[in-house]
Amino acid sequence: MAAAAAISGEAETKISDHIEPWKLKFPAFPYKPYSIQLQFMESLYKSLDSGGISMLESPTGTGKTLSLICSALQWLVDRRKKPIAEEANQCGDGGGDDDEPDWLRNYVVPKPEVVKKKTESKKIDRVVKHDRVVDLFGEKGGNEGVEKVKVKSGVEEKNDDEFLMQEYESGGEDGIGKRKKGYGVGMSSSSEEDEEEGGWVEDEGKGKGGMKVYFCSRTHSQLSQFVKELRKTGFGSELNVVSLGSRKNLCINEDVLKLGNATRINERCLELQKNKKSEKSKTKNLGTRGRKSRTKASCGCPMLRNPKLQKEFISEVLEQDALDIEDLVDLGSRLGTCPYYGSRSLVPSADLVILPYQSLLSKSSRGSLGLDLKGSVVIIDEAHNLADSLISMYDAKVTTSQLENVHQSLEGYLGRFQKLLGPGNRRYIQTLKVVTRAFLQVLHHDKDRDASCDESCDSTDEKNSHESSMAINDFLFSLDIDNINFVKLMQYIKESNIIRKVSGYRDKVALLQNTSNLAHEPDEGSTLSGFHSLVDLLLSLTNKNADGRIIISRTKSTSSKQHEGSIKYVMLTGEKIFAEILDQAHAVVLVGGTLQPIEETRERLFPWLSPEDLHFFSCNHIVPPESIMPIAVSRGPSGLTFDFSYSSRSSPKMMEELGLLLCNISAVVPEGIVVFFSSFDYEAKAYDTWKASGILQRITRKKIIFREPRSNTDIESVLKEYKDTIDRLSINTKESQASQNGALLLAVVGGKISEGINFSDGMGRCIVMVGLPYPSPSDIELLERIKHIEGLEDTDTGNTSTSLPGQDHNVQAGFDILHRCKRRGREYYENLCMKAVNQSIGRAIRHKNDYAAILLVDSRYATDPSKRSSSHPVNKLPQWIKDRLVPTTSSYGEVHRLLNQFFRHNKNKGV
C-alpha cells in the first residue's frame, strides 16, 4: 500500500509538472488568463482569506466578471475542503472511506421524499408553536385583505364589516399595543416586505459548510450577464445557484403585469395572497356520525395554488445549470407556477446567491428574503456609486396629492365607522389625521413666497418652486406635532392593519360612486401607495436627529395656480447601515471598472478604516499603450482657452469654440464620436448656439448628429440608429470617397448613456469630455450631504433654502457653502465630479483589440506633472488613463497631429 501510494504520488507530481501553475490554483478558468486577470484573481483570493473590506478595480473589457467568478468560487470550494481534510486527519485510517468523493460530489440535493418529510415536519412544528394556519404564501391569520367589491344593480351592499378593525389597546411606555382578539395581518412600511414564503417546499439547511457567496449588481441585465459568464465555468453546474429578482421582473400573472408600475405590482401580489379562496378538499367518513367535509384556503393568485408544481419547479432548478431571471420566468411560465417565490425558496440551500442591490443592501429586504450574511462573502459589483445607492434606499417622500388622498380616506373611514370603533382605534386614526393635516399645511403655507415671487420671477415660467431643509426635531416643533409618539404610532400601523382597511374601504366607495380613475391615475395616486409613502416618512421621523434632513419642496404652476409639493426625508450617512453588513459577513468586496477616487467611498461608508488598512487593487488595461490616446485639450482651433467653469461656460464664444473643435476632429476621427456634457440644459444651449452660427451644418458634413433623449424609453432606438449609421457609413467610406464618415452622439454625464452603455469599436473611437461636470451647487440635497460630511452648522435660521433652482443667487448660496468647507466637504464635491468623468470616459475600450482617443476639454485638466497637486483632477483618473495621458499641448494643431497619427497607426495595424 505504501509503495502504491508512493507511485501514485510520483505520477501526480509528474502530471502537475506539466500543468501551468494558474491551472492548479484556478482550474475553472476556461482559457489561459492574461497576466492582469491572474493578478486580479490572486488579489481577490488573498483578500477573501484575510476577510474584512476590500476594493478591486479592473477596467471594463478586461474579463473582470470571469476573473471574479473563478477566484471567489474557487476560494469557497477550497475553504470548504479544509474542514473535511482536517476531520479526515483527526480520524485517521478508521475514520473515513477511501472511496469517499470530494465535497462537490458528496453535496447532493436532497431527494424529493426527503424534502417532503422536512416540510411535513416543519409544518407540524409550526402548528405546535402557534395555533394558526399559514396558507400558501399567505400571512398570519385569516382573510383580512381587501376583497372584491360586490355590486348588485349599482346598489351598495350594506355590509362593510370586512373593513371594520378589531379593537386595539394602546400599549404602555414600551410602545407596544395589542388587539383584543384575532391575529390580523401586520403591515410593513414597505409593501415589498409585507409577506411570508408560506407553503413553498424548501430545504431548510444552508449549502454545505454554511458559507455562501452573495453577488449583487445594479440591474437585472448585469446579473444576467454574470450568469452567462458563470456558465463558462464548471461552477454553474457544480454549485447550487439561485438568482433573485423583483416581482416586476419575475411575475408571470398577466393580470398583475398589466399594472406596469412596480409598486402596484407589489401591492396587487400581496392583495392576492391575502384574498384566500376556500376550496373543498377531502371528505372524511365519520361512520354513524355522518360525513365531514374539510375545506382549505388557497391563495388568490393562480400561480401559487399547486404544491406539486412548486416542487417540480424547485426540482428542475436544482437539476439544471445556473439560471438567470429570464430562465426562471420561462420555467415558471411553462409549469404555471410563481418563479418569484420559487427562487426565494431556494436561498437556504444555495451556495451562490445572485441578487440586485436593493435586496442585499436594505435590512428589511434581507429579513424578508431570509438572507443570512453571517460568515459569508458579499461581492458588490458596479460599486462606483455604492454610497449614494445605499442611502437613497432609506430616503422617504410623500407628495401633496398623496397626503390629500390619505387624509380624505381617513376622514371617510372615520365618518363611516366612528360609532363602531373602540377608543384605541379612534385615537390613533385621529392622530394620523392630525399628522397629515400638519404636513398639508406646511406644503400649502406659501403665501408670502408667492407675493415675493410675483415680483421677482419671470412670468413666462410654467412653475415656481421653493425648497427648504431642516432637522427632524425642528420640523416636528415647527408643525407642533413634537408631542406625538411616532414609535407607538408606527407600532399601531403595523399591528392594526389600518392601511388595508382604510384603502380598501376608500376603493369600494369610489367604485360604487363611479368616480374611481384608478386605471388612469398617476403612479403615486392609489390610496395604498399614498399610505406606504406616508408610513415610510413616519418611520424616517424615528431616526436620530443627526442622521438625516427633511426637505420641503413647494411648486406652484403659474398657469393653473395649483400647488404641488412634497416632504422628503434624506438620509445623510451610510456608514451605520453598511456596518451592519460588514459586521455579519466574513468578507465584503467592492468591485468596479472605475472605483477611483476611492477616498470618497471610504469616507462615507467605512471612515473608521484607515487608508493603509484598506485592501485596494487596481490593474492596468489589457490593451497596449498605443491603443489609447488620452489628451488634455486646453485650447481650441482659434486659440481660445477652454474654460467650462460655471461663470464662463455659457459664453457664446466658448460654446462656438467647442463646436469648432468638434468640426475639426470630425474630419480626422473615423466612425463614432461621443461627446459628454454636464447637463441636458447645457447640451441644449450648445446645440442651439451651433445651429444659429452655422457650425452644426459644418459638423453634419462629416458626421450625422444624434442626441441623448431625456426619456430612458427612447434610448434604445437612438443607440440602434447611431450604430446602424456608423456601420453603413463605414462600409460606404471604404467603397467610395463619401463625404460623411460616421456619426456624433451628444450625451450627458449621469444620464443613461454614461452609466451603462458600452461603446466598443466604431461606436466610440473618440470620447470627448466637455469640462469638469461638477454637480449643481443649487441641489439642496447635495448641499446637506456636503454640510454633514464637513460638519458644518447652519449659520442663520437653521434652514438652508433655495428658490427657483438654477438662478444665480441660489447657485451662489451653494458656492458659499463650498467655500466654507475646509477639506472633507470640498473633497467629496470634487470626487463626485471625477467619478462621473471616469464613468463616462470608461465607456470606450471594451476588448483587447479595441482602440480609442479620449479628449479632456478644459484648461483645468492640463498641468505640468511635476507641479501637480494631489487634489488635481488628473490624479483622480484611472491609472491606465493617467499613465498614458498627454498632459499639455501648446495648441490645437498639436492635438490634431496626435489624433491623425494615432488613427493612421491603428488603421494600418488592423489591415
Side-chain angles (χ1 to χ4, degrees), residues 614-822:
L614 173 63
H615 175 73
F616 175 69
F617 170 83
S618 179
C619 66
N620 268 318
H621 216 295
I622 56 175
V623 298
E626 60 268 20
S627 295
I628 304 175
M629 176 59 71
I631 307 174
V633 182
S634 56
R635 294 181 182 275
S638 65
L640 183 68
T641 299
F642 283 124
D643 178 10
F644 291 99
S645 59
Y646 181 80
S647 59
S648 303
R649 66 185 182 188
S650 296
S651 163
K653 289 185 178 180
M654 192 63 61
M655 291 185 284
E656 288 175 4
E657 191 74 9
L658 175 62
L660 292 175
L661 172 71
L662 296 180
C663 281
N664 281 269
I665 66 173
S666 293
V668 69
V669 176
E671 302 176 290
I673 300 175
V674 184
V675 184
F676 284 104
F677 292 84
S678 57
S679 68
F680 280 105
D681 289 340
Y682 188 59
E683 182 270 342
K685 189 177 293 187
Y687 184 88
D688 291 341
T689 300
W690 300 338
K691 188 174 182 179
S693 63
I695 293 176
L696 192 67
Q697 186 177 2
R698 293 173 58 183
I699 297 175
T700 55
R701 292 173 187 169
K702 285 294 182 181
K703 303 286 184 185
I704 296 178
I705 297 179
F706 294 86
R707 303 173 70 185
E708 178 176 0
R710 290 177 182 262
S711 172
N712 288 342
T713 56
D714 300 326
I715 290 285
E716 188 174 344
S717 61
V718 172
L719 288 176
K720 184 180 185 304
E721 190 175 354
Y722 170 72
K723 183 180 185 304
D724 291 345
T725 300
I726 291 172
D727 293 341
R728 173 173 54 81
L729 292 177
S730 178
I731 295 173
N732 293 341
T733 303
K734 292 178 181 178
E735 296 177 350
S736 64
Q737 296 297 321
S739 59
Q740 290 181 320
N741 63 3
L744 186 146
L745 176 61
L746 306 180
V748 175
V749 173
K752 181 73 173 179
I753 287 177
S754 71
E755 286 290 327
I757 306 299
N758 298 333
F759 291 97
S760 61
D761 301 316
M763 288 186 71
R765 286 297 178 218
C766 181
I767 306 295
V768 180
M769 173 56 63
V770 180
L772 286 161
Y774 286 104
S776 172
S778 64
D779 184 342
I780 193 169
E781 293 184 26
L782 171 66
L783 294 178
E784 289 300 332
R785 290 198 173 101
I786 290 174
K787 287 160 57 181
H788 176 79
I789 291 171
E790 182 70 23
L792 292 179
E793 297 292 335
D794 293 314
T795 57
D796 41 32
T797 61
N799 293 342
T800 300
S801 62
T802 59
S803 58
L804 292 173
Q807 295 292 313
D808 291 341
H809 62 278
N810 295 319
V811 171
Q812 187 57 50
F815 282 133
D816 290 343
I817 291 175
L818 290 170
H819 291 325
R820 289 167 55 196
C821 295
K822 302 299 183 183

Side-chain angles (χ1 to χ4, degrees), residues 807-849:
Q807 295 292 313
D808 291 341
H809 62 278
N810 295 319
V811 171
Q812 187 57 50
F815 282 133
D816 290 343
I817 291 175
L818 290 170
H819 291 325
R820 289 167 55 196
C821 295
K822 302 299 183 183
R823 185 182 68 85
R824 293 183 62 189
R826 183 183 293 273
E827 283 183 358
Y828 167 63
Y829 186 65
E830 293 172 351
N831 288 338
L832 285 179
C833 168
M834 289 311 299
K835 287 182 75 171
V837 169
N838 294 340
Q839 190 66 18
S840 299
I841 62 180
R843 299 300 92 207
I845 311 289
R846 314 306 290 183
H847 57 84
K848 183 180 180 181
N849 298 318

Side-chain angles (χ1 to χ4, degrees), residues 259-278:
L259 297 173
N261 177 262
T263 301
R264 291 189 177 184
I265 289 174
N266 291 337
E267 293 170 355
R268 184 58 181 154
C269 175
L270 297 176
E271 285 180 12
L272 287 174
Q273 290 181 55
K274 291 174 172 62
N275 291 347
K276 311 296 182 188
K277 292 189 176 182
S278 296

Side-chain angles (χ1 to χ4, degrees), residues 109 129 508 532 860:
V109 177
K129 290 179 180 179
K508 176 180 178 179
H532 283 307
R860 290 172 292 178

